[in-house]
Each structure stands twice: as C-alpha cells, then as structure tokens.
Amino acid sequence: MFTLPKHIKKDTFLHKLNPRIKLSVLLLIIGIIACTHSLWTLSGIFLFILIISRYSKISVSTLLIRLRPFSWFFTFTIIMQFFFIPGESLPYFPVGCIDITYDGIWQGVYLVEKLSLLIMSTYLFISTTSPQELVRLLDRILAPGKRIFPQVTDISEMVLLTIKFIPILLCQAKDHIKKEKGKLKKKKGVKERIGYLIMIVDSYFESVIQNAHQMIDDVSNETSS
Amino acid sequence: MKKKNIYISLFTALSIIIHGFEYMIPVVTPWFKLGLANSVSLAVLVVYGLKDALFVTLLRIFISSIIFGTFLGPAFFLSLSGGIVSITTMGFFYYLANPFLSTIGISLLGAYSHILAQGFVISKFMIGHDSIFLLIPGMLLLSLVTGIINGTISSRLCTHLMLVKQKEKLV
C-alpha cells in the first residue's frame, strides 16, 4: 500500500548538504530540462546525475527502477509523438492513415529523455533528504501561505501532526480492509461492487470520525510530552 | 494549537490514507485513478469552506508526494494542477449554485475540471502536443463514474463532519 520512506540513509556529502541548496539546484535542473532544446545539454545533465548518484552512493539501477512506474506514460508519449508529428516519413510509410516520421521518433525519444531526467533528479533529491528535513523545507515553502490562510499559525506543526496521524489511520484502514475484503470478493457485478466499495469507504470514515476525539487526545498528549 | 487545525490535520491524513487505499482498487487503465482523496476535500469544502478545503488539498499533495517519493516530479505537478483547479472549481460552483447543485453535481464538475487541468499540463508542459485532447472525451466519460462515486462518498462524509463540527463547536 505505502512505499515509505524513500530516504536512503548514507553518510555522504550530498546527504549532509543543506536541503535548501539541494532544492535550489533541483529547481535549476528542472528549469534547464524544461527550457532546453539541445541534446548536448540533456546529456550534460545526465552526466551530472550520474556523478551525483555515484557520490551519494545511490546506484544507477536504483534510479532506473524509479522509471518503471512511468513506463505507461512514456509509451503513451512516444506513441503520440510517433503518429502525430508531421515530417519525412519512414520507409514503407504511410500505411493507410498511419504515418510514422523521423521527426516524430526524434521528438518522442527526446521527450522521454527529458521526463526520465526529471524523475531521476527529483528521486536523487528525495532519497538524499530525510523526511524531517523535507518537512522543515515544506514549512519554508508554504510560509507565504500564512498570508492566504491566516487561521493557520503553524504549518510545520500541522504537517507533523498529519504525519503522526498517518500510521494510526493506516492501522485502522488495514483492519477495516481485512474485515471487508472477503465480502467484496463475494459481490458480483460492477454496480454491486461499486456500491459495496462506497459502503466500505463510508464505514471507514465513520469509524475514524467516531474515534477522532480519542485519537486527537492521544496525539496531543504525545506531542506535549 | 487550535482544535480546528488538529481536525484539519486529521482530515489531511485521512485523504492521504484514502489516496494510498486507491492503489489496491483495480482500474480500467494504468494511469486512471478514482480520486477518492478528493471526496475528503469536497466534504471539507462543504463543512468548513473553500480556504480549509484548499489547505487540505495542498497539504495532501505535498505530504503524499514526499511519502510516495514523487515530490517535484511530473506526477507531483499533475496532482498539484488537477487538485488546485478542481477544488477551486468545486468551491466556485458550491458558492454560486449551492441550493441547486448536490454534492454529486459539484463532485462531477470537480472531476471534469481535474481531467481538463491535467490534460492542459500534459499537452503544454510534458508532451508539447495537443494529441492528449483526443483522449479527453474518454477520460471525461470515466470522470462521470468517479465524480458520482466521490460525490456519494463525500455527501456521506459531510454528515459525519457536520456532527464533529457541532460536537466540537468548531468555527
């Protein structure tokens, strides 16, 4: 269900580096990736990522595994570029209404490379920064929001509280799913299953709300102690 | 800390759990999700107002991206654009047509705007091509189902939250 935490504990220069500097470099990389049209620049960024991953002791295979969940999106991007970018056709094309061009292939590969670099660079940032540092960073990012949300006095406290609630709610959800999973399998037909799914989520919400008072007291006591 | 803020944190955590819970539900396409977390945002919108709903949405997107390791990645920006546009649209229509639109109606508008915002971000900033809009009619059709499911769930959640609000006398 959850794959937390993503942080890989190592004693390297990048792990010790101030998260704000890391975020600034990451934003710069994102900006360059978004704006560049040069393959050399992208190759340079790829080389930079390789060097950084070596110094942060995070293997390239770990970075590449991160791309797997996006394989559908990459396939979709490539197909869209292949068939919709006009230009010089490949040999034996067009076949009927299907046309694949050299420009389409180039554009597809180029975009997938851009997206892959984006994912790898953000993963390097996430894996070398502890969740606590990220929360502190999040507090700084959301700080201007205090002007828009005057009722929120301490965002970091709320973020921490949210993170404290997650394991408690996760336990409740697991228990709830265990109880209801068997019943769901017995339901046949999409409509009946959807109806039962709504019922499961609703009963989960109800149990959370019923226990909310106790849960809040527990977490508040834990925070104050 | 104000009790209301503690409850807002609880609802944010709840939406993150529901977001994780979604991975266990089989769906028709690999990138398609039910968006059950939006039902919590919609319920907060109805019970507490737009500002709190927007806050819950933003906090959920930021924290879940940190938990799932997608912070500042393409999925994060898709989630952020979809989340902000859908909650703003739902808020706008909730205040504009409150007695005439049910929670399901508002949820439907939220689901449609979510898809359109994500389609816009993909076409302009990710694939640089308008071909994504060819898929939009199909996605909007699927949004019809998710919108109804989310609307039904949030209307039930609203009744629970109303009870909490009355019990705790939260502003």
Side-chain angles (χ1 to χ4, degrees):
Chain A
M1 194 169 169
F2 282 104
T3 51
L4 76 169
K6 292 284 175 190
H7 176 235
I8 301 168
K9 273 187 187 171
K10 295 265 165 74
D11 188 27
T12 67
F13 166 72
L14 203 69
H15 284 78
K16 288 175 194 163
L17 194 68
N18 188 328
R20 271 186 284 171
I21 297 172
K22 279 191 269 187
L23 181 70
S24 309
V25 174
L26 176 68
L27 290 175
L28 185 72
I29 290 174
I30 291 173
I32 294 171
I33 292 172
C35 299
T36 190
H37 294 288
S38 154
L39 197 67
W40 288 107
T41 314
L42 291 181
S43 308
I45 290 171
F46 183 59
L47 197 70
F48 178 69
I49 289 172
L50 286 183
I51 294 167
I52 292 286
S53 70
R54 186 166 166 75
Y55 276 102
S56 56
K57 292 178 183 169
I58 292 165
S59 66
V60 181
S61 59
T62 315
L63 286 179
L64 294 175
I65 285 168
R66 284 297 304 164
L67 300 177
R68 206 187 286 163
F70 293 90
S71 52
W72 279 101
F73 188 63
F74 290 158
T75 314
F76 169 75
T77 306
I78 285 183
I79 289 171
M80 285 293 167
Q81 303 298 327
F82 277 14
F83 294 113
F84 291 99
I85 297 282
E88 191 190 337
S89 299
L90 248 66
Y92 310 111
F93 279 96
V95 180
C97 60
I98 298 167
D99 190 15
I100 298 179
T101 63
Y102 285 106
D103 287 345
I105 292 175
W106 165 248
Q107 195 68 17
V109 173
Y110 176 67
L111 276 171
V112 167
E113 194 185 345
K114 268 187 162 188
L115 289 170
S116 306
L117 288 175
L118 197 66
I119 293 161
M120 285 197 281
S121 51
T122 51
Y123 180 69
L124 266 177
F125 170 70
I126 290 280
S127 56
T128 56
T129 314
S130 71
Q132 289 84 354
E133 284 176 325
L134 280 172
V135 168
R136 257 177 261 136
L137 194 66
L138 195 66
D139 182 41
R140 283 193 155 272
I141 294 171
L142 294 176
K146 285 173 189 171
R147 284 181 210 151
I148 309 164
F149 305 107
Q151 78 276 30
V152 180
T153 48
D154 203 340
I155 295 171
S156 62
E157 219 172 312
M158 286 180 80
V159 171
L160 286 171
L161 208 56
T162 305
I163 290 170
K164 274 188 180 168
F165 278 127
I166 289 173
I168 303 168
L169 293 176
L170 188 62
C171 277
Q172 283 189 18
K174 275 180 180 170
D175 289 343
H176 202 74
I177 291 164
K178 220 183 258 178
K179 262 190 249 170
E180 306 287 348
K181 213 174 181 181
K183 289 178 196 168
L184 186 65
K185 277 180 186 168
K186 283 176 197 165
K187 303 282 171 192
K188 283 172 185 168
V190 180
K191 206 177 164 186
E192 206 179 332
R193 282 192 171 195
I194 288 175
Y196 198 67
L197 179 79
I198 292 172
M199 216 190 78
I200 291 175
V201 177
D202 179 45
S203 60
Y204 172 62
F205 281 155
E206 203 180 347
S207 69
V208 169
I209 300 296
Q210 274 172 0
N211 298 327
H213 195 73
Q214 181 64 41
M215 219 183 320
I216 285 167
D217 282 348
D218 289 348
V219 171
S220 303
N221 290 339
E222 202 183 303
T223 312
S224 58
S225 65
Chain B
M1 191 190 268
K2 278 184 190 172
K3 204 150 199 177
K4 186 186 167 190
N5 287 353
I6 300 176
Y7 270 97
I8 294 291
S9 304
L10 177 71
F11 301 142
T12 310
L14 191 62
S15 63
I16 293 168
I17 293 292
I18 290 295
H19 179 68
F21 179 73
E22 269 183 46
Y23 286 97
M24 296 171 72
I25 303 166
V27 283
V28 281
T29 57
W31 60 80
F32 176 74
K33 280 196 204 119
L34 288 173
L36 292 174
N38 289 324
S39 60
V40 180
S41 302
L42 177 55
V44 173
L45 168 75
V46 173
V47 180
Y48 294 98
L50 181 60
K51 270 187 181 178
D52 289 320
L54 191 61
F55 189 71
V56 166
T57 308
L58 285 175
L59 214 56
R60 188 243 307 162
I61 292 166
F62 275 92
I63 295 175
S64 61
S65 72
I66 287 173
I67 289 173
F68 294 107
T70 56
F71 186 55
L72 292 177
F76 168 78
F77 288 111
L78 284 178
S79 199
L80 188 68
S81 58
I84 291 173
V85 171
S86 77
I87 198 69
T88 316
T89 310
M90 288 195 289
F92 178 75
F93 281 101
Y94 176 70
Y95 291 118
L96 191 78
N98 189 11
F100 308 108
L101 267 177
S102 68
T103 329
I104 295 173
I106 295 164
S107 169
L108 271 175
L109 290 167
Y112 289 153
S113 56
H114 196 278
I115 288 291
L116 289 173
Q118 289 193 334
F120 179 78
V121 170
I122 291 174
S123 76
K124 293 291 168 208
F125 304 106
M126 289 189 187
I127 62 172
H129 204 272
D130 290 339
S131 51
I132 182 78
F133 288 106
L134 291 170
L135 294 176
I136 292 293
M139 297 303 275
L140 288 179
L141 207 65
L142 289 172
S143 304
L144 182 74
V145 181
T146 59
I148 292 170
I149 293 174
N150 284 329
T152 314
I153 291 172
S154 52
S155 71
R156 290 178 184 207
L157 183 59
C158 280
T159 48
H160 301 315
L161 294 192
M162 285 289 191
L163 285 174
V164 171
K165 198 180 173 184
Q166 281 167 4
K167 206 173 166 185
E168 301 290 338
K169 288 178 185 163
L170 300 172
V171 185

